[in-house]
Amino acid sequence: MWRRPALRWVDVLVGVAVIALLYGLVLLAPSLNAPFLPSTAPASVSTDPSNLPYYAVRSLVRMFIALAVSVVFTFVYATAAARLRRADKVLLPVLDILQSVPVLGFLSVTVSAFIALFPGSILGLECASIFAIFTSMAWNMTFAFYYSLVSQPRELDEAARIMRLTKWQRFWQLDVPGGMIPLVWNGMMSFGGAWFFLAASESISVLNQHYALPGMGSYAAAAIAAGDLGQVGIAIAVMIVMVISVNVLFWRPMVAWSERFRVEESEAAERPRSLMLDLLRRSSVPELLGRPLRPVGRALDRATRPFGLAEHPIGGSVARERTGDVFFAGAVSVVVVFGAWKALDYVQSTVGLAEFGHALALGAATFGRVIVLIVFATLVWVPIGVWIGMNPRVTRFAQPVVQVLASFPANFVFPFATAAFIALGISLNYGAILLMALGAQWYILFNVIAGASAIPTDLREAMTSFRVGGKLKWRAFILPAIFPSYVTGGITAAGGAWNASIVAEVVSYGSDTLTATGLGAYITDATATGTFPKILVGIVVMSLYVVALNRLFWRRLYRIAETRYSL
C-alpha cells in the first residue's frame, strides 16, 4: 500500500512522445511568425525532396489547428441551432450558405484581412490558410452534431430534466457523449476532405497575387506547375504515409474510444481496437496531464449555474411567442433585404445584373454533375457502407483503407487524369464528374458506416432471432436505421461536390489546361484575376443552388428522419 509505484516502460514511452511533440512545436514556432512582405513573398516553394519532412509537419500543424477550431465551432453553432427555436430558423440557412461558399471565395476575402491583421508577419498568411482549411472541415461536423442533438432519445431528455442538470452539465454529460460517435466519424471525414483543398489553402492565388506557404499542398502545386510527374509521385507517396500515420496514431484510437458512448442494452461481440489507445490506457501520463483540468471543469459547472437548468418550459403565453416571432422575422428580413439591395447595387454598377443570368446557366451545368455524382455515389457506397459498418471484423481492416482513400487529396492525381483525358480525347465536361466524385463521394460512405455501426446490437440480434433477411431486412430494418446518417452524408456530399467543382472544372498539368463549362470554372477564373463582382455573383448563384436543393429536398428528408426513423 505504501510502496511507491515503479516506473513502467509504457509511461516512459508515452512521456517521451509527449515531450518530443512539445519540443517539435517549440522548434516550429519561430517559423510561424517569420517576417513577411506581400510584395516580396515567394510565389512557390522549393521542390527539393529533402524539404518534404518539414513541409509535412507544417501541413499537419495547420490541419490539426483547423480541426480544433472546427470542433469548438461545431459545439457552439450546432447547440445554438438545436436548442434555440428562433435561432434555428436563421442558423441552418446560414450554414447551408456557408457550406456552399467555395474555399476560394473565403480566401479572396480573408487573405488581405489576415495580412493586415498581422503586418510584417507570415502569421497572417498562416491564419488565412488555417481558416480556409477550417471552412472545408466545419460544416460537415456541424450538421452531424446538430442531427445527434435533434434526434436525441426522449428518455434521455426526461432524465436530464428529472436530475435537474444545468445547461452546461447537460451539454457536457449528455449532448457531447450522445453525439460523439457521429462526430468522430464525420470529423475523420472532414479531416480527409480538407486534404483535398490543401493545395488551394497553401498555394494561394487571389487578386492577381500568388503566395506559397511551406507545405505538402504548395509542394504538389509547384510540382504540377513544373510538369514533373516524378515529384508528384514522391508527394503522393509522402501523403500516403502521412494519412496512414494520422489514422493509426489519432483517428483509429478516437474511433475505438468513442465506442464507450454507445447506448445499447447488449454489448457487441467485437468492438474496434487500437494499439495506441491500449498504450494510453495502460499509461498514467494522460491522467497526470488531465488532473490540472479538473478544477477548470468544476469552475465551469459553478459559473454556468446562473444560466438556469437544461429544460424548456412546457407551457407559455402563445401570444407572447407569436409577437416575438413576428419581431424576430421582421428584424431578419430587414437585414436580408438591406444586404441583398447593397449587393445588387454593387453588381449593377460594375458588371451588370445580366451577369447573374450567365452564372445561372453555368450553375445549371455544375448542378447536373452534382446530381449524377450523388445518384451514383448512393448506389455504390450505401451497400458497401452497410457491409462495413455492421461487421466489426470487416471494419477493423476496411476502415484504414477507406480512411486512406477518403483522406488522400484526389487533386494530387489530377495531372495524371489530365494527361489521360488529353490522350483519350475525353472532354472535361464529363471528366469533371469523376474528379468531383473523388473528393465528395466519401461523405456518403463515412456517414453510412457511422449509421450502420451505431445500430444497437440488441436490434441486430432481434433481426437474427426472427430470421429476417433479404429485401425485407433492408426495407424494414437497415435502410430506416441508416436513413438519418445517409441524409447527413448526402447533404454534405452535395455541398462538397459544389466545392470540389472549383478545382475539378479547371485542371492543369504543365502547359496543358482543361476547362469545363460550369460555375466552378467561373469562380476560379474570377478569383485568380481578382474580379470581385464576378466572385460575388458566382458565390451568390452557387449559394442559391445549394440552399434551394437543401430546402426543397434534403430538409424534407431531415424532417422524415427526425419523425419516423430516429432510434
Side-chain angles (χ1 to χ4, degrees):
M1 175 178 173
W2 297 102
R3 183 183 302 169
R4 185 176 182 180
L7 189 63
R8 297 177 296 174
W9 68 268
V10 66
D11 293 327
V12 175
L13 181 62
V14 175
V16 170
V18 172
I19 293 174
L21 178 62
L22 296 176
Y23 180 70
L25 293 177
V26 170
L27 290 180
L28 192 64
S31 61
L32 300 179
N33 196 26
F36 170 80
L37 292 176
S39 58
T40 60
S44 63
V45 298
S46 171
T47 54
D48 185 356
S50 62
N51 294 322
L52 283 174
Y54 175 68
Y55 292 164
V57 172
R58 290 288 294 268
S59 294
L60 283 175
V61 170
R62 296 187 191 105
M63 293 284 286
F64 277 101
I65 292 176
L67 178 64
V69 177
S70 299
V71 171
V72 175
F73 175 87
T74 295
F75 285 159
V76 175
Y77 199 98
T79 303
R83 300 289 181 241
L84 303 177
R85 183 177 61 86
R86 293 193 183 103
D88 175 62
K89 306 300 182 183
V90 176
L91 294 180
L92 282 185
V94 170
L95 191 62
D96 289 336
I97 295 174
L98 291 175
Q99 180 188 221
S100 63
V101 176
V103 172
L104 293 181
F106 287 109
L107 280 174
S108 62
V109 177
T110 58
V111 169
S112 300
F114 278 116
I115 291 177
L117 187 62
F118 300 95
S121 172
I122 202 172
L123 187 60
L125 199 60
E126 287 282 356
C127 290
S129 177
I130 292 171
F131 183 79
I133 298 172
F134 157 80
T135 60
S136 62
M137 286 187 185
W139 323 132
N140 178 45
M141 299 168 61
T142 304
F143 273 119
F145 191 65
Y146 167 80
Y147 175 74
S148 70
L149 294 179
V150 298
S151 62
Q152 203 169 74
R154 184 181 300 273
E155 57 268 20
L156 294 181
D157 177 71
E158 294 173 352
R161 297 171 184 269
I162 294 173
M163 298 176 67
R164 299 183 64 79
L165 298 180
T166 65
K167 294 180 178 179
W168 170 257
Q169 288 173 332
R170 171 168 182 157
F171 170 76
W172 196 244
Q173 298 179 17
L174 178 61
D175 294 345
V176 174
M180 187 57 66
I181 293 178
L183 182 62
V184 168
W185 277 93
N186 282 276
M188 184 164 50
M189 180 63 251
S190 298
F191 196 89
W195 290 115
F196 190 87
F197 298 100
L198 194 62
S201 303
E202 293 180 346
S203 183
I204 303 171
S205 298
V206 294
L207 310 180
N208 286 321
Q209 293 289 332
H210 301 276
Y211 308 109
L213 288 168
M216 292 302 302
S218 53
Y219 177 89
I224 292 171
D228 192 334
L229 288 180
Q231 291 179 340
V232 174
I234 294 175
I236 290 175
V238 174
M239 282 298 305
I240 292 175
V241 173
M242 290 173 60
V243 169
I244 294 176
S245 300
V246 171
N247 178 73
V248 172
L249 299 177
F250 184 75
W251 286 117
R252 181 120 185 115
M254 289 295 295
V255 170
W257 173 77
S258 65
E259 287 295 313
R260 64 185 297 185
F261 302 109
R262 186 182 298 278
V263 180
E264 57 187 12
E265 297 180 2
S266 59
E267 187 176 359
E270 185 174 347
R271 290 182 177 273
R273 296 287 303 275
S274 168
L275 178 61
M276 179 59 61
L277 182 62
D278 293 340
L279 288 175
L280 293 175
R281 283 173 172 169
R282 293 171 60 184
S283 173
S284 58
V285 174
E287 182 183 357
L288 293 176
L289 295 177
R291 192 174 298 171
L293 298 178
R294 294 175 184 173
V296 177
R298 290 192 290 267
L300 282 173
D301 190 12
R302 291 192 297 268
T304 55
R305 288 186 180 276
F307 293 101
L309 301 178
E311 59 183 14
H312 305 286
I314 297 177
S317 174
V318 176
R320 182 180 300 177
E321 288 187 0
R322 288 180 178 176
T323 303
D325 291 342
V326 170
F327 277 101
F328 181 77
V332 172
S333 300
V334 169
V335 173
V336 171
V337 170
F338 178 77
W341 174 71
K342 296 295 290 184
L344 291 175
D345 181 66
Y346 174 68
V347 174
Q348 172 64 27
S349 62
T350 51
V351 295
L353 295 180
E355 192 67 25
F356 279 105
H358 177 57
L360 285 169
L362 295 176
T366 303
F367 179 74
R369 298 187 184 103
V370 172
I371 297 300
V372 172
L373 186 156
I374 295 297
V375 171
F376 277 93
T378 299
L379 296 176
V380 172
W381 293 117
V382 167
I384 296 177
V386 170
W387 176 63
I388 295 175
M390 296 190 67
N391 295 274
R393 293 183 180 180
V394 176
T395 303
R396 179 188 302 179
F397 300 103
Q399 186 255 330
V401 177
V402 173
Q403 175 65 12
V404 170
L405 293 175
S407 299
F408 184 78
N411 48 355
F412 277 32
V413 301
F414 281 10
F416 301 96
T418 304
F421 292 159
I422 293 175
L424 298 176
I426 299 176
S427 172
L428 193 61
N429 289 323
Y430 304 103
I433 299 175
L434 174 62
L435 301 183
M436 291 164 60
L438 293 176
Q441 62 184 343
W442 311 111
Y443 291 100
I444 292 179
L445 176 60
F446 265 68
N447 278 276
V448 171
I449 292 176
S453 63
I455 299 175
T457 304
D458 49 344
L459 291 182
R460 304 185 193 185
E461 294 174 349
M463 293 296 103
T464 303
S465 300
F466 288 113
R467 297 181 180 179
V468 178
K471 295 182 180 179
L472 178 61
K473 184 176 181 179
W474 275 89
R475 186 177 67 252
F477 174 56
I478 295 178
L479 291 181
I482 68 168
F483 184 74
S485 298
Y486 167 76
V487 174
T488 300
I491 195 173
T492 50
W498 281 100
N499 258 303
S501 68
I502 301 299
V503 294
E505 292 183 350
V506 179
V507 293
S508 301
Y509 170 62
S511 59
D512 296 319
T513 300
L514 297 180
T515 303
T517 301
L519 191 58
Y522 176 87
I523 296 176
T524 300
D525 179 69
T527 305
T529 58
T531 311
F532 269 118
K534 290 188 176 181
I535 295 175
L536 178 60
V537 170
I539 291 175
V540 169
V541 170
M542 186 173 286
S543 300
L544 287 176
Y545 272 105
V546 175
V547 173
L549 181 63
N550 289 350
R551 289 287 131 185
L552 298 177
F553 182 70
W554 292 114
R555 289 300 167 201
R556 296 185 179 183
L557 295 186
Y558 250 132
R559 296 295 175 241
I560 296 175
E562 292 175 15
T563 56
R564 296 185 57 184
Y565 300 124
S566 178
L567 291 177

